[in-house]
Each structure stands twice: as C-alpha cells, then as structure tokens.
Amino acid sequence: MSTLETQAPSGTRVITQSQAVNEALAEELRRDSTVYIIGEDVAEAGTPFKVMSGLVEEFGPERVIDSPISEPGITGLALGAAMTGMRPVVDIMFGDFLTLIMDQLVNQAAKIRYMSGGHFKAPLTVRTTLGATRRSAAQHSQSLHAWVAHVPGLKVALPATPADAKGLMKAAIRDDNPVVIFEDKMNFATKGPVPDDDDLVLPLGVADVKREGEDVTIVATSSMVYVALEAADLLAGDGISAEVVDPRTLVPLDRDGLIRSAQKTGRVVVVDEGHQSYGASAELAATIAAGAFWELDAPVQRAGALDVPIPFSPVLEDQTVPTGESVYELAKGLVR
Amino acid sequence: MPTDVIMPMLGMSQDTGKVLKWLRGEGDAVAKGDPLLEVETDKVTVEIEAPAAGTLSGISAAEGEDVPVGRAIAVVLAEGEAPSANDAAAAAPAADGADPAPAVVKPPSDRSSRRPLASPKARRLAEERGLRIDEIAGSGPNGAVVAADVQRHAPAAPAPAPASFEVGSVWRVMAERTQRAWQEVPHFFLVREVEATRLEGWRASVRRRAGSETVTHTDLLVRLVASALREHPRVNATWHDGTIAGNEDVNIGLAVAADDGLVVPVIAGADRLELAEIAARRADLVTAARARRLKPADVQGGTFTISNLGMFGVDAFMAIVNAPQAAILSVGRIAQRAVVVDGAVVARPTLVLGLSFDHRVVDGAAGARFLDTLAALVEEPAGLVR
C-alpha cells in the first residue's frame, strides 16, 4: 500500500530514520575520502539525537569533527573546503540556528558557482532539523526550510521516511551544489522499510505518492506526510479517497508530479509545518493552482503552523501545527 | 454579505424541491444549523438547516411552492446587515398578488447580475459539453457550480459526442480493404536506400521541356516501376483463390489522400505511356480524386500500387499491400544524407524505397531481385530518359 508500512516487504529492512541517516553518512564516508562531518557534539556524543553514534569510532576524529559552538565559523570553513575539493557535511543541531549561518549560505555558498563563472563548485551538505511538538519552545521548534528554498543556488530536501532520509542524504552529499537537508526531530525513532540496496541514492526533484487516491490530493512535506496519512484514514471512513503526495525536495521541485495528482483529483490541500504566511505551502499551492487550473473543482487549501512563535506550553503547541484532525476537516470541506 | 439559503439537490435526478413548511419566520434570529424549513422531494422529506448564524430574511418561497434546486429561497443576515433590495423577498412576486406577475422571474440572488459562481473544472466541463453555467444548479458553496453538478446535468441534454468522426463511404471502403488485406495477406517487407542524384537531374531536365513543367517524382517513379514490372511479371501478378494469375497489362495505382479517405486511381498501361502522358494522366486522376469525381473505371484493374509520403517529410515507411495486388511501393522523401563514396562520407540526395509483398505471390528472393532492378533504374535511369 504505502511506503510507510513498518512491516518489511521483501528486499527491505525496517529501521529507524536515525539508523537510516547513520547508514547514509557511514556509506558515504567509506566510499569517498573527501567526505567529512563537522558540527557540535557530532563525534563523542553522536549528536544529541544519537544519529551519528559509532561514526567517530569508525572514521576517527579527523573526519567526524566536534566543533566549537560557532555555526557561522564551521559553515564558512566547510564551504572553503568544499570549494577546494572536499565534500563536507555540516551539522546544524537545530534548524532554528540556520539564522546564524545565513550569510555563509545565502551570500557565499549559493553564489560562488555563479559568480566564479563555474570555476568553483560548492558540494556542501548542511544537515539540520525542523518540526514542532517536542516541547522545545520557540527557539528550537521552528521549520525554516522556506527561508533556504527562497534563495536560488541552494537545494532543499525534506525526507519523511527512513528510505527517503537515506537516499536523499546520499544524493545531497554527491551533489555538486549546496544542499540543505531537513530532518524532522520528532521522526528519528520512526521506523520504515529501507531497500536492501548497498547504494541507495534517490534523485533530487522527484515527488513520491505515499498513498494513492481519487477524490482529494494532500500534498505534504516532511513529517506532515504522517499527518496527511492520518487525515486520509479519517477521510476513508467517510468514503473519501485521498491521495498523499510528498514532493521530497522543495528545490528542485517536481512540479509535474504535483500538478498531475491535482489534475486527477481536482481538489488539493497543501500541508507544511512552516508558518503558513509566505511559506513553502504558498509556493506549492500557487504551482498547483496555475498548472491544474482547469481541472480544479475547489480552491487549493493550505495548512501550516499558525503565524505565532511556537509555544512552549504543550496544550498550545499542539494547537499551532497541523494535525490529522485539522487536515481531515480541511480536506473534507473541499469534497462536497 | 448575507448568506443564501439554497434549495438543495437531494437526489441525482431532482430538478425541484417543494417547500413543505417554514419552521422559522421572517426576522427570526437563527443559529447556524438550526432547522429552517422542511423540503419534500419525490423521495424524501428533509429539514434544511441555517447555513450561518443571523436573522432569517427575504423568504421568497411560499409553503407548497416547487422551487428549482440551487435557487436561493431566503437569506441569513449577519449582525448589522440590512435586507438589500436585491434580496430574495424583494425580487419575488408579492405574496398578496396585488402586483402583476413579472414577465421574467429573476434569479433571486444578489449575484444575479454577476458571473455565475463555478469552479474552473466545472466551467471547462460545461464548455466542453456546450452547456451554459447559469443553466446548471450548483451544489457548492453559495450555490457555486462544481464538476459533479455539470456531470449530473449533462446526461439530461444529449451532449454532442466530441470524439466521433464521420465515417463516409470512401473511408468505410478503405477501412474494410486495409483490414482485410492486413488480416489475409502474409506481408513481408524490403527496404533499400538509393541515391537520387540522377533522378533529380532527370526531373530537372524534363521540366525544362514545354508541356512537362509539372512532372513530379511520382511520375518518374511510375515510369521506372512500370519498366521494372515488365522485367518481373511475378510482381505484377495477382493471388486468386489459391492460384497466381499473371496480368497482361501494367496498371499502376497511386495512393491519393482525399479529404474523405484514401483512394487509388489507376494509370492503365503505364509501361506504354510517355512521361508527359503519365504526368497528364496523373494530374487528371488526382484532381478528380480530390473533387470526388473518380469514375469506377478510374480505380479498377490496378496491378501494383505506389504510395508516396515524401511530401510530408516521411523518411521511410511500409504500406499495406493493396490486395489482390502482390506488392506496393512506399516512397519516402528525397533528402541530403550521408553516404559513403570511394571510402569517404559525402552528402548526397537519397530516398528510401520500401516494398511490401504478398508472400503467397512473391518470395523474398524474387522481391529482392525486383527491388534491385528498381533501385538500379532510380540510380541510373539513363536507359529510360527521353
């Protein structure tokens, strides 16, 4: 049925997203001696989420580097290394700290290939997080991927499943351009089947249909895929068949894949955990509205985080981001 | 803005609903979801709920009245809103009957003068089916027409079938003949690219002669094929009930695309005609074919057919044998192509000859020998140049 079953279909293993990322990093470190990791608490602690457990033991402190608390410093160092032949992975523990490295990302990494006339390339991977509901309060709960996606020259990947997390991480490391890959910090323990492929590399820019349906399309990014699937289950109880489409990358964006599904169902809800105003959902909705206009039977709807700082109060925080119930209501309103 | 109370569509084939009883009256305060009235269809009786909170106003359908589905029958005014002149009550005939009945009952909505509400998909579907949106009862928000409304509406009117094309008699004959040939004739195909330098030169020199200015490649090929058939009578033969009948005459059919289908007029005795005669006959036949003036005699007795799609830019193709004939020549375009001459790649005009055969009459070797003769004539038509 979907790619999200926790049973292992033949030719796959069920592992956590955390293990999947760990495997992707280890495989790339083994495959290519120019790959290295730098970040706060990546080596001895294996990151606070334990995603990198065991890596420093296998690859040593020169390739899995614990850095001082200076995000702009390590990003600038990594960019320079990338321009001169290395393939660094910079670990930014919380996506909220992207604000600190914006100059390195936006003005340097995104521009160098263009401004040097292709003389330099920047095969830099920035690995970071997004997502609320971890009770981490307003400075550690944001989903800022739209900031990065807005800047030409930066690619943005948003894996939702262990398989996607592994395949997109390996693709990001091998890409000759800067890629920022966001993992939802609530999903590290989420399990899913990962193909028994000793070199699983997914193309950037190809959407994935996580569940097929006929009546309404729910386009969902990152962990919102699970919210969308929950909504689809609720809709099925009302006899409404929902299709769940995961773009997987915002840049490049699989416009045709989104439009195709919208043309099929005629009704679309876009769910993204970033703030709704001026967010990724706006770009996705506009792309669909223009591309599928004559097939749309209802206005494209969006669900995102409320336009408020993410609250620390659990009761309030849970009200701030889309839920299966809220997406169900929104989608049901389109199917009359 | 006031929220319309709409007569809903409760069944697939329902056109109207009867107002059985108003449960709330003009000016009553209502909450969203309050039952406002009872409606009866031919199948069920249901309560219609208030679509919004506010004051019920502008009731335009009396108890016992049949109202088309999709029509507004009242409005709910939000706090602070006043009944507008365009509201349902104002536009409806006065209940006491004092006023003369209006000649035209306007749709009782303040949207009546505006573009009717409809989704883009509904508009597209309506246009494809030749329907007007304002003829369709909408079941969407504020009475908007959605795709399902158009789809429900469409069966009522016999929609023009957009994908059907007329099959005339010429087309039917072509369909039957090609189908039978394709099913009954064991086809095989031979292909050869030939150089067209001399063919081009021949045509250029012929065209300089008075009366031959319009000689075409097809005319030259008719002449060449006729000569080749004289040498290979088997290719000019016919399969007939388990026997192979030779043909005394060389009668060459030309596949001509007319507006209503493919026709194959025949140049009879082509091997005995001068080039200018072939060109004149071909011109007459093609003109008659396009004008649908071919006489039965013009299309009978063919022993071989030529189909030329070169003018459409086709490089090569394989036609269906025009049974009971034994073979058909498929002619592609003449184009500059890379060929090897004396070990060097050079550009030369070439064309691809495709031959389709009925294997019951001609086998591969006999077909290949015919193609060889024809290719030699195309590449060096000197013996025939007159």
Side-chain angles (χ1 to χ4, degrees):
Chain A
M1 203 179 78
S2 76
T3 53
L4 304 168
E5 291 176 59
T6 48
Q7 299 286 320
S10 70
T12 68
R13 295 164 295 130
V14 170
I15 58 175
T16 64
Q17 183 152 329
S18 179
Q19 286 172 295
V21 174
N22 187 297
E23 285 183 7
L25 293 167
E27 286 173 19
E28 292 307 295
L29 284 162
R30 261 176 232 130
R31 188 187 63 83
D32 183 346
S33 64
T34 65
V35 175
Y36 73 95
I37 300 170
I38 186 166
E40 295 154 19
D41 283 340
V42 296
E44 297 307 321
T47 81
F49 302 105
K50 302 300 171 201
V51 172
M52 298 190 191
S53 294
L55 294 185
V56 72
E57 286 79 359
E58 177 173 354
F59 300 102
E62 292 187 337
R63 297 186 68 197
V64 182
I65 304 168
D66 270 334
S67 75
I69 302 178
S70 173
E71 285 85 357
I74 60 175
T75 308
L77 288 168
L79 175 60
M83 287 165 58
T84 49
M86 303 295 281
R87 290 190 178 269
V89 178
V90 174
D91 189 280
I92 302 294
M93 196 184 293
F94 285 87
D96 311 72
F97 309 158
L98 284 174
T99 54
L100 292 162
I101 68 166
M102 272 300 178
D103 181 62
Q104 290 302 331
L105 267 188
V106 174
N107 285 328
Q108 314 306 331
K111 305 292 192 285
I112 187 62
R113 193 162 189 176
Y114 172 76
M115 292 185 75
S116 71
H119 188 73
F120 288 109
K121 57 189 184 185
L124 169 72
T125 300
V126 175
R127 169 181 181 268
T128 189
T129 61
L130 55 66
T133 70
R134 190 174 168 268
R135 320 311 181 205
S136 300
Q139 295 160 318
H140 295 75
S141 302
Q142 299 171 87
S143 300
L144 297 181
H145 46 289
W147 286 37
V148 186
H150 185 66
V151 177
L154 302 176
K155 297 185 180 182
V156 178
L158 304 171
T161 64
D164 291 351
K166 183 171 181 182
L168 293 174
M169 176 61 79
K170 285 168 71 91
I173 291 171
R174 295 188 195 186
D175 200 285
D176 279 346
N177 300 287
V179 180
V180 183
I181 185 162
F182 291 82
E183 295 156 27
D184 192 301
K185 58 180 91 71
M186 298 301 289
N187 281 1
F188 286 122
T190 303
K191 289 184 174 179
V194 174
D196 286 331
D197 180 345
D198 51 16
D199 201 16
L200 177 70
V201 182
L202 288 173
L204 303 177
V206 178
D208 185 40
V209 177
K210 298 290 197 230
R211 172 176 174 143
E212 292 204 14
E214 301 295 330
D215 301 325
V216 59
T217 295
I218 307 176
V219 174
T221 59
S222 189
S223 60
M224 293 298 104
V225 165
Y226 299 96
V227 165
L229 289 167
E230 189 186 330
D233 280 342
L234 293 169
L235 289 162
D238 292 344
I240 297 168
S241 158
E243 178 150 300
V244 177
V245 181
D246 174 6
R248 296 200 290 198
T249 54
L250 292 184
V251 183
L253 179 62
D254 184 358
R255 293 184 163 81
D256 291 345
L258 304 183
I259 290 167
R260 208 162 34 239
S261 179
Q263 287 172 330
K264 174 175 152 190
T265 63
R267 308 174 184 95
V268 182
V269 178
V270 180
V271 192
D272 178 86
E273 206 177 350
H275 294 298
Q276 186 165 318
S277 294
Y278 307 99
S281 64
E283 177 65 26
L284 301 179
T287 295
I288 292 164
F293 184 79
W294 295 109
E295 298 290 344
L296 288 177
D297 207 20
V300 179
Q301 296 287 1
R302 292 189 287 148
L306 300 181
D307 293 327
V308 295
I310 306 295
F312 177 61
S313 152
V315 176
L316 293 179
E317 185 178 27
D318 290 346
Q319 294 289 313
T320 307
V321 293
T323 61
E325 187 72 28
S326 70
V327 172
Y328 159 73
E329 292 292 344
L330 205 50
K332 197 180 173 193
L334 297 181
V335 185
R336 300 171 66 95
Chain B
M1 184 158 45
T3 307
D4 290 336
V5 179
I6 305 278
M7 174 60 72
M9 179 180 276
L10 301 164
M12 288 293 280
S13 56
Q14 179 197 348
D15 295 318
T16 62
K18 180 190 269 182
V19 177
L20 215 54
K21 185 175 180 208
W22 280 98
L23 304 172
R24 308 297 290 272
E26 185 81 25
D28 283 4
V30 296
K32 184 176 180 181
D34 280 357
L36 295 182
L37 71 156
E38 290 178 355
V39 167
E40 183 189 60
T41 73
D42 54 354
K43 294 191 183 64
V44 290
T45 301
V46 296
E47 288 181 352
I48 306 305
E49 296 175 352
T55 306
L56 184 62
S57 176
I59 294 177
S60 65
E63 290 181 359
E65 191 179 335
D66 274 307
V67 180
V69 298
R71 176 168 297 178
I73 51 177
V75 293
V76 175
L77 302 172
E79 197 177 343
E81 282 180 342
S84 111
N86 285 335
D87 276 350
D96 62 9
D99 286 350
V104 177
V105 180
K106 290 169 67 177
S109 160
D110 63 348
R111 299 182 208 294
S112 60
S113 61
R114 290 173 27 194
R115 194 165 175 248
L117 293 178
S119 78
K121 185 174 184 180
R123 283 186 200 285
R124 182 179 59 74
L125 290 176
E127 190 173 326
E128 284 170 5
R129 291 161 198 225
L131 302 170
R132 287 161 49 108
I133 283 289
D134 55 11
E135 291 169 346
I136 301 169
S139 65
N142 292 313
V145 178
V146 296
D149 299 325
V150 181
Q151 281 151 353
R152 267 197 294 272
H153 189 94
S164 99
F165 297 94
E166 195 188 343
V167 176
S169 60
V170 172
W171 195 273
R172 182 165 293 118
V173 168
M174 179 194 73
E176 288 167 3
R177 289 181 61 95
T178 50
Q179 179 179 343
R180 196 178 331 125
W182 189 246
Q183 287 173 344
E184 293 182 1
V185 176
H187 280 73
F188 74 95
F189 309 98
L190 302 177
V191 192
R192 181 155 163 186
E193 182 177 3
V194 294
E195 200 178 317
T197 310
R198 298 201 185 245
L199 190 72
E200 294 279 72
W202 183 22
R203 190 177 76 131
S205 71
V206 167
R207 283 188 158 204
R208 283 195 287 273
R209 272 182 239 154
S212 295
E213 293 89 346
T214 58
V215 163
T216 65
H217 289 117
T218 300
D219 300 331
L220 303 182
L221 287 166
V222 169
R223 185 74 191 82
L224 298 175
V225 166
S227 294
L229 288 171
R230 267 282 156 240
E231 279 185 48
H232 298 267
R234 193 63 171 255
V235 179
N236 198 48
T238 303
W239 179 258
H240 190 74
D241 281 344
T243 62
I244 297 169
N247 290 300
E248 193 58 36
D249 296 321
V250 174
N251 303 329
I252 296 187
L254 294 176
V256 176
D259 287 344
D260 50 355
L262 175 71
V263 289
V264 187
V266 174
I267 299 176
D271 57 324
R272 297 191 302 271
L273 297 179
E274 296 293 334
L275 192 52
E277 292 172 317
I278 290 172
R281 182 78 178 127
R282 184 263 312 152
D284 287 347
L285 287 171
V286 169
T287 306
R290 301 229 162 103
R292 306 184 198 185
R293 283 191 287 99
L294 286 173
K295 297 186 284 292
D298 292 334
V299 294
Q300 285 172 357
T303 59
F304 185 94
T305 297
I306 297 176
S307 181
N308 186 350
L309 292 178
M311 63 289 262
F312 296 106
V314 170
D315 285 322
F317 68 106
M318 288 295 147
I320 297 172
V321 166
N322 187 11
Q325 298 168 20
I328 184 167
L329 174 67
S330 309
V331 183
R333 65 171 171 161
I334 296 176
Q336 291 287 333
R337 297 187 178 90
V339 297
V340 177
V341 176
D342 294 336
V345 177
V346 295
R348 289 284 161 82
T350 70
L351 83 162
V352 179
L353 301 176
L355 276 167
S356 315
F357 292 96
D358 181 342
H359 210 304
R360 297 171 302 184
V361 185
V362 181
D363 64 10
R369 283 194 292 271
F370 173 72
L371 179 53
D372 193 50
T373 301
L374 182 60
L377 284 169
V378 172
E379 294 193 329
E380 187 47 87
L384 294 169
V385 173
R386 270 176 280 183

